[in-house]
Structures are given as structure tokens and as C-alpha cells.
Amino acid sequence: MRLSPSTVFAAVTCTLVPVALFMVFVYVPTEADQGIVQRIFYFHVPCAWAAFMGFGLSAIAGGLYLFFAQQLWDDIGYAAAEVGMLFCTLVLITGSLWAKPIWGTWWTWDSRLTTTFILWLLYSGYLMLRVIGEDSEQVARLAAVVAIIAVLDIPLIVISVRLWRTIHPAVLITRSGEHGLEDPRMVQTLLVSMVAVTLLYAWLFWLRLKTLRVKSRIYQLRQTLASAQVTEDATS
Amino acid sequence: MLAGLRFLLHKDLTLERRGGRVVLELCVLSLLVLVVLAIAYGPEAGGRPASAAGALWVALILSGLPAASLAVAAEHENDCIKGLRLSPLEPSTIYVAKVAGVGLSMAVSEAALLLLLVLFFNLQFDTNLLRLIPILLLGALGLAALSTLLGTTTSRLRAGEMLLALLAAPLYVPELIAGIKASTAVLGGSGLTAVLLPLKILAACDLLFVTCGYLLFEYLAP
């Protein structure tokens, strides 16, 4: 029996996500200063990683689409950005849920929060372009250009905690250059969560890409049919 | 390249001198936005640098985006852009000329915008206003570079002006933040050190937008 990639992704993801949940809620020790709310970190950071990966992939696919003009790259860019947007939204939501008990507010215009929100706005514009614009080559080209420019915000988000005065914690790499996870079980849980969320991203991306490939094929067939109809009308 | 650039800029400026559509739209929209914000802030906003700087940049972006869209859309009338693409001019030359044209129109309207700002926000006619000029020019250049690049495609699409705003406004946010900070510092009479970092951010964003447009315009122009 030959397994399809989506079945493999689904099987591995559905195995690893419960393991990650077990580690987050049972295995990892509670952080001394922040208490139980710190556990949201094991969702927040992997979601940020998945979002950055998705937007990076979308920009690379955009560049390849501009260069080779193949529909496959456009579909990859669209699917990667769409699923990346889902994870970017989760980053903002989980960050806000963490901020309320720790900072006493749902939102503050901190440099990292602001640059992340700008990234979310950039890709919401990208998705609006895809929804409102027609399925045409010019929309695909503009979307590729927007993806390439928008991805430049990601390095800014990463270095924002070092560039400006900020209240956002620098946990993975602290301001002194070390990592801020004192217990090895915290590192293990973070790594398992990262792999689980990456696989979840890959599975969702694959499903979305398959749908877009079918849509593109239908569009091509309609175009071929329409041009054949025109030729037939002209000859008859 | 320079001869082509001069030729295209001359064409755009001649059209603008005869019709004045872009500058007119910029001035009228800026006036409307300033009036709305002055009413919203109330009389207590008078003389407050932060309110005036915020209103100035909101007026700049809200009037600049539709005006740039109008300027770019003019090239699509009678397929003028296709004529330009058939000419021996490089796509990047066409882009730089359009950015220069739109940027100059914005610079002219900014002079009117400053005058209105002084009147509505009860500011003083002093040297601080002159110090605003480089900040505003950098802001106009960034907005012109961005809206010309994206507007080349959006002006050919359904709901193109809305799409341009949706795409360009988030990209312009870093310039907006830096511009408001620099303008607040200048209107508040702060020294050069308070303005230096926002000015560097404005210049860096301008460089980024112009470079992206220069390299990517040929993929967007029909």
C-alpha cells in the first residue's frame, strides 16, 4: 500500500502533537517567577517559528515565480503565506494571553509587538490582494513582490529586542547572549513543541497546496476550453 | 538613462502643469483630513507638537496614496504604459521617472499642507517649520517609491485604490512612526540628536523601497 504525503504528515503530526501537549502540561516544571502562565511560551515560540518559516517560504517561492513564471511557485507562495498567517495570528493571540497576567495589559506598543503586528498587517494585505484580485498573472506577480518586501520585516522582529529598549523577554537568546531556559526539561519541551508545530504547518501547507494545484488546473482547463471555443466559432 | 529620465519627467510635469490633477487631489484631500483631525482633537490640540505631527503624517499618507494611484493610473489610459515599455527605455528608468514625478507633486502639496497645519494647529511661523522640510521630503520619497511600485498593478485591478492602501500602508508604518517622532521633536524645538535616529530610519526605508522598486518594477509593468 502506497501512503500519500498528506497521510504521512497527518499520522506523524497526530502522534507528536499529543506528546508535545503532555510535555507542556505535565512533564515540564513550572517556571518560578511567572508560574503556570509561562507554559504558553511552548506554543508561542513554535507558532512564531512556523509563521516566519511560512513567510520565508512564500518570499522564496515569490522570487522563483518572478524568475521562472511557473504556476507551481505561485501556488506554493500562496499556500505558505496563508498557513503562515494562521500561525502569525496564533502568535499574537498567545502573546496577548500571556501579557495580561504578566504585564497587566492585553497589548502594548512595544517594538517587538509592533513589528510583529506590522508583519501580520502586511500579510493580511497580501491575502486581501489574493481574495479581491482576479486569478491573473499580474496579481500573482504583485503578490510575489509584496511577499519579497514583507519578509524583510522578519529580521527586524528578531533583532528588535536588541535594537530598541523593550519589555519583551528575550528567552531563547538573552540580551547577554545566553539562553534563558534554566531547566533541561524546558529545552526538551520546547524542541518537541517546535517539531510538532513544524509538522502541523507542513501538513496544513500540503493540504492547502493540493487544493490550489487543483484550482490552478481547473483554471487552465477553462482557459483552454475558452480558446478552443473561440477557434471553433471562428472556423464555423 | 539620464536622457530618458529627463524626457519622462518633463512629460509628467507638463501634464501636471496643464491639468494639475495630482497636486489638486493631494491638496484637497490633505485639507479635508486636517480639518477632520483638527475637529476631532478639539481646541486644546492647538500648539501641541505631538497632535500637529500626527495630523501632518496622517494627512500625508491618506492624501498621498490615492494621488499616487491617480498618477500611475494615468499611464494606463490608452495603454500609454505599453507604449513606454515598447520604447528603448529600461523599466527601471520608467520607474525612477514616475517616482520623481509623484514625489515632486507630493513635495509641492506639502508646502500647502504645512501652511494649513500652522493655521489649524495654532503653530508659530518660525525656523522649526523649515527644519520639517527634509523630514517631509524623505517621507514623500518613500511614499512615492512604494505607491508607484505597487500602484502599477493595483491601478489595473478591481478595487485597486483600496488594495493599494491595504498593501502600502503597513509597509509604510516604519516611516510613519519615524516621521511622526522626528516631526514631534522638531515642532517641540528639540535638538538634532532627537531627530537623527528617526531621520536615519526614514532614509533607510527610502533606500529600501527605491531599491526594491528599481529591481522589481519590470516584473509588474505590463
Side-chain angles (χ1 to χ4, degrees), chain A residues 185-218:
Chain A
R185 284 173 292 176
M186 290 179 166
V187 180
Q188 291 158 12
T189 306
L190 179 66
L191 288 175
V192 172
S193 298
M194 292 279 254
V195 176
V197 171
T198 306
L199 284 168
L200 182 63
Y201 176 91
W203 182 29
L204 294 174
F205 166 74
W206 186 260
L207 290 176
R208 187 69 186 116
L209 181 63
K210 273 201 327 187
T211 316
L212 287 173
R213 292 303 295 153
V214 171
K215 196 179 161 196
S216 298
R217 182 80 188 117
I218 291 170

Side-chain angles (χ1 to χ4, degrees), chain B residues 173-195:
Chain B
V173 167
E175 285 219 22
L176 199 64
I177 295 171
I180 291 173
K181 280 198 171 168
S183 305
T184 308
V186 163
L187 289 174
S190 303
L192 185 69
T193 45
V195 189

Side-chain angles (χ1 to χ4, degrees), chain A residues 54-68:
Chain A
F55 296 150
L57 180 59
S58 177
I60 293 168
L64 290 169
Y65 176 74
L66 290 180
F67 201 72
F68 295 114

Side-chain angles (χ1 to χ4, degrees), chain B residues 114-123 125:
Chain B
L114 269 184
L115 183 70
L116 294 170
L117 191 78
V118 171
L119 294 176
F120 291 146
F121 285 83
N122 198 22
L123 301 173
F125 277 106

Side-chain angles (χ1 to χ4, degrees), chain A residues 66-67 114 118 121-122 125-126 128-129 131-134 136 138-139 141-142 145-146 148-150 152 156 164, chain B residues 149-150 153-154 156-159 162-163 166-167 170-171 173-174 177 197 201 208-209 212 216 218-220:
Chain A
L66 290 180
F67 201 72
T114 308
I118 291 173
L121 285 175
L122 289 169
Y126 174 96
M128 285 296 288
L129 170 69
V131 172
I132 297 173
E134 304 88 16
S136 65
Q138 57 185 2
V139 168
R141 281 173 179 269
L142 180 59
V145 167
V146 171
I148 290 168
I149 301 177
L152 298 174
L156 201 63
W164 293 288
Chain B
L149 175 68
L150 302 174
T153 298
T154 56
R156 282 177 284 151
L157 299 175
R158 188 161 39 103
M162 191 186 75
L163 276 175
L166 280 170
L167 296 172
L171 284 168
V173 167
I177 295 171
L197 180 65
I201 295 175
L208 178 76
F209 294 150
C212 284
L216 298 171
E218 68 171 292
Y219 296 107
L220 294 182

Side-chain angles (χ1 to χ4, degrees), chain A:
Chain A
M1 189 179 75
R2 190 175 168 273
L3 291 173
S4 69
S6 57
T7 314
V8 175
F9 277 135
V12 181
T13 308
C14 291
T15 312
L16 206 61
V17 166
V19 174
L21 288 174
F22 172 80
M23 291 180 85
V24 171
F25 288 111
V26 181
Y27 176 71
V28 75
T30 304
E31 210 260 347
D33 292 334
Q34 298 177 26
I36 199 160
V37 75
Q38 186 270 344
R39 288 170 198 263
I40 214 163
F41 165 82
Y42 304 106
F43 297 104
H44 183 70
V45 174
C47 284
W49 154 249
F52 292 171
M53 187 177 63
F55 296 150
L57 180 59
S58 177
I60 293 168
L64 290 169
Y65 176 74
L66 290 180
F67 201 72
F68 295 114
Q70 287 173 345
Q71 186 57 39
L72 172 68
W73 295 117
D74 182 48
D75 290 340
I76 289 176
Y78 188 6
E82 209 172 59
V83 184
M85 186 67 179
L86 171 72
F87 283 95
C88 192
T89 309
L90 287 173
V91 171
L92 293 174
I93 292 172
T94 52
S96 200
L97 289 173
W98 173 87
K100 182 63 180 168
I102 300 297
W103 290 343
T105 178
W106 296 109
W107 183 263
T108 178
W109 292 103
D110 176 80
S111 61
R112 180 164 271 186
L113 273 69
T114 308
T115 45
T116 309
F117 187 54
I118 291 173
L119 187 73
W120 187 88
L121 285 175
L122 289 169
Y123 281 92
S124 65
Y126 174 96
L127 293 182
M128 285 296 288
L129 170 69
R130 293 293 198 166
V131 172
I132 297 173
E134 304 88 16
D135 283 332
S136 65
E137 197 188 325
Q138 57 185 2
V139 168
R141 281 173 179 269
L142 180 59
V145 167
V146 171
I148 290 168
I149 301 177
V151 83
L152 298 174
D153 188 34
I154 293 178
L156 201 63
I157 295 172
V158 175
I159 59 168
S160 61
V161 286
R162 284 181 239 331
L163 274 184
W164 293 288
R165 203 168 44 196
T166 168
I167 55 171
H168 191 284
V171 180
L172 291 182
I173 303 166
T174 60
R175 287 173 184 87
S176 56
E178 298 147 11
H179 79 78
L181 298 168
E182 65 253 21
D183 194 297
R185 284 173 292 176
M186 290 179 166
V187 180
Q188 291 158 12
T189 306
L190 179 66
L191 288 175
V192 172
S193 298
M194 292 279 254
V195 176
V197 171
T198 306
L199 284 168
L200 182 63
Y201 176 91
W203 182 29
L204 294 174
F205 166 74
W206 186 260
L207 290 176
R208 187 69 186 116
L209 181 63
K210 273 201 327 187
T211 316
L212 287 173
R213 292 303 295 153
V214 171
K215 196 179 161 196
S216 298
R217 182 80 188 117
I218 291 170
Y219 181 74
Q220 275 174 356
L221 286 172
R222 276 199 184 141
Q223 297 283 94
T224 315
L225 199 66
S227 57
Q229 193 78 44
V230 169
T231 318
E232 196 182 300
D233 288 349
T235 49
S236 61

